Every structure is written in structure tokens, then in C-alpha cells.
Amino acid sequence: MNNLFFFLLLAASIESPTAADGSANAYIYAGCSESRYAPGSPSQINVDSLLSSLVSASSSTPYSNLTSTAASASFPSFGLFQCRGDLQPSNCADCVRSAVSSISSLCPFAAGAAVQLDGCFLRYGNDSFVGEPDTSVLYKKCGASGGGGYGPDQIGIRDAALSALTGGGGNGGAGGYRVGAAGYVQAVAQCVGDQSASECDDCVAAAVGQVRAACGYAVSGDAYLGKCYARFWYTGNGAYNDDADHHHDDPDHHHDDDDDDETGKTAAIVIGLIAGVALLIMFLTFLRKAGNYGKD
């Protein structure tokens, strides 16, 4: 958020999405300005009109910014929404409706507010923030540690997926939507539609830097900045899989391990048989000596 706003962040304790997750309306965070408008005031009328117009626009476009002066031009309300670039129009509209509902319950009578859901971002305020770059960090979250077996190779794969998001990389989409992948790691970034291509590049690069610095050996990570976000996660229920590291790119490679296992099992069986025969010989020798001793 720009410096005209002081936001109190209300962050949900949620995991990063994996391919199996599907709720675009899942709550990520919200922020409310400390300043409030009076119920029934021109500011409230302008805000209510603005939010209603944003909901209407979301059924036909993944991004929109609007200004409302419905009650008074002296108290304008500025606002925008950005849906994730891969959402269908109906899902985008549903997400924006949920975002408006969240803001209404979390930030009643706030002069400015923002909410990030899994599939969309919505912000409004009484300052003209539209079109301004904003790389301030609003929310970060890292998943669980990858545990044993997670080393430099896995970090390299993660970084390759994240690097695909920067410098205009990734498979482009609506409103600065970018996706990246490397091995078994997937990544996604989304810029708000009021950012130019270079501003989006700068914002995503900053978000990627935040994720790399904060999330170390985590199996997932999110970094939400003022006008963009970047996220990564490991596929396979979102968890690091040591077996996948070795065999993901070579589906036949596991046969070598199977052969090694069978060789080890065979060697163990042979050693066991040899030991058993040796014990039998020792036992028979003992019996022969004992018999000879009795005859003596």
C-alpha cells in the first residue's frame, strides 16, 4: 500500500495451493485503514457505489479500475480488482463478490481497504493509488521444511521455476499472469493490471526475491506485494518427494534401483546359506568327535 495508508493486516493461516486445491475464494489476507467514514455519509455512498460497480465489471473482465463520485465529487472513492489470469469469467465474478463481502465484514466503514483471496485482489480508498508502483511487502508465508534429503539440487529446481516468472518470462496470461515450472516445482505470479510491463517485471522480481530469502528449504512459499505476488509449491500433494527428485525426468530410472535392491537381496540370501552350511558342518564335526570320544 502507498504511504497514505496504514493497514492492519489480518492474515489467515492457510497453506499454499497445490494442483489439487481449487477454491479461488480462499482467504489470504486483508488490510483496513485506520481512518473511517461516518455511516450514511457521502463517502459511504461513494464506496458502496464503487464496490457494486466493481462486482458488475468482474463478469466481463479480469481487471478494472473505477472511480465513484455518486454522492459527491468532493469525496471520490478509487478502486480496482484483479482476478488471477487463469480464472474463467464466472469464477472471477464470484471471487470479486466474495472479496467485497470480506471487506464489508472485516473493514466496516474503513476509508480504505484491501483483500486478497486465492483468485482475486480488490482494493479501494480515497487516495488516487491506481497506476502507482508498489513493491511493499504485505504478507509472506512459507510451508513446512522439506526435511531430510532436501538439498542444493532441490533449491536449484525451485529457483529455476521462480526465475521463469521474472524478466517477462513464464507463460503469459491476462493482467500480468505468469506461470513457471521446473522439474516437480510449479510457480505462479500475478501483477495488478494497472502496472506497465516493466513495473510488473520489477514487482515480480521483488516478490521472487522475498520468497527465496524467506522460505529457504520450505516446500512452498508465497510473497504478496502491493501490486503483485509470487508463489511456488512442490507437486505431489505440495510436499517434497525425495524419490521424485531422482526419477522425475527419467521414468525408467527406477528399474536401476530395483536391480540394485534385488542384487542386495540375493547377496544376503547367499551369505545366509553359506553361514548355515558352515554351522551344519561344525555341528556334524562336533557329533563325530563326541562319538569317537565315547568309544575311547
Side-chain angles (χ1 to χ4, degrees), residues 102-129:
S102 295
I103 277 185
S104 298
S105 60
L106 293 171
C107 306
F109 308 117
V115 64
Q116 176 75 59
L117 304 185
D118 187 76
C120 63
F121 171 76
L122 185 145
R123 179 184 174 185
Y124 76 86
N126 55 13
D127 66 328
S128 181
F129 60 88

Side-chain angles (χ1 to χ4, degrees), residues 3-269:
N3 293 330
L4 295 178
F5 276 94
F6 177 77
F7 272 76
L8 304 174
L9 295 183
L10 312 169
S13 177
I14 63 173
E15 295 297 327
S16 295
T18 68
D21 294 328
S23 177
N25 299 344
Y27 172 79
I28 306 296
Y29 71 82
C32 316
S33 67
E34 290 188 312
S35 59
R36 296 286 190 268
Y37 55 74
S41 65
S43 292
Q44 180 180 11
I45 295 172
N46 285 344
V47 168
D48 290 347
S49 175
L50 172 70
L51 296 178
S52 178
S53 296
L54 290 174
V55 169
S56 297
S58 65
S59 62
S60 59
T61 180
Y63 164 77
S64 182
N65 72 81
L66 299 170
T67 302
S68 174
T69 56
S72 171
S74 299
F75 304 98
S77 292
F78 307 90
L80 58 77
F81 71 84
Q82 174 67 62
C83 286
R84 200 175 66 222
D86 63 338
L87 289 188
Q88 295 297 317
S90 59
N91 299 124
C92 176
D94 186 51
C95 188
V96 173
R97 281 192 295 270
S98 294
V100 169
S101 177
S102 295
I103 277 185
S104 298
S105 60
L106 293 171
C107 306
F109 308 117
V115 64
Q116 176 75 59
L117 304 185
D118 187 76
C120 63
F121 171 76
L122 185 145
R123 179 184 174 185
Y124 76 86
N126 55 13
D127 66 328
S128 181
F129 60 88
V130 177
E132 296 181 4
D134 187 354
T135 57
S136 57
V137 179
L138 303 181
Y139 178 58
K140 290 188 291 187
K141 182 177 177 63
C142 302
S145 170
Y150 193 126
D153 289 345
Q154 288 70 45
I155 292 294
I157 293 171
R158 180 207 68 182
D159 286 349
L162 288 170
S163 293
L165 305 176
T166 61
N171 297 320
Y177 178 65
R178 304 173 180 187
V179 295
Y184 43 86
V185 180
Q186 296 188 15
V188 64
Q190 176 72 63
C191 291
V192 176
D194 66 338
Q195 299 296 281
S196 68
S198 62
E199 289 169 343
C200 181
D201 288 344
D202 291 343
C203 192
V204 171
V208 166
Q210 289 289 333
V211 168
R212 284 174 171 163
C215 294
Y217 291 99
V219 297
S220 63
D222 310 339
Y224 291 87
L225 278 55
K227 289 293 179 74
C228 73
Y229 64 78
R231 320 169 79 171
F232 80 90
W233 65 95
Y234 284 78
T235 58
N237 297 322
Y240 165 66
N241 185 326
D242 184 58
D243 186 61
D245 170 47
H246 300 297
H247 315 317
H248 180 82
D249 294 325
D250 185 2
D252 295 327
H253 184 78
H254 67 277
H255 294 307
D256 296 336
D257 288 346
D258 290 345
D259 292 342
D260 292 342
D261 290 344
E262 291 301 323
T263 300
K265 291 177 182 177
T266 301
I269 292 172

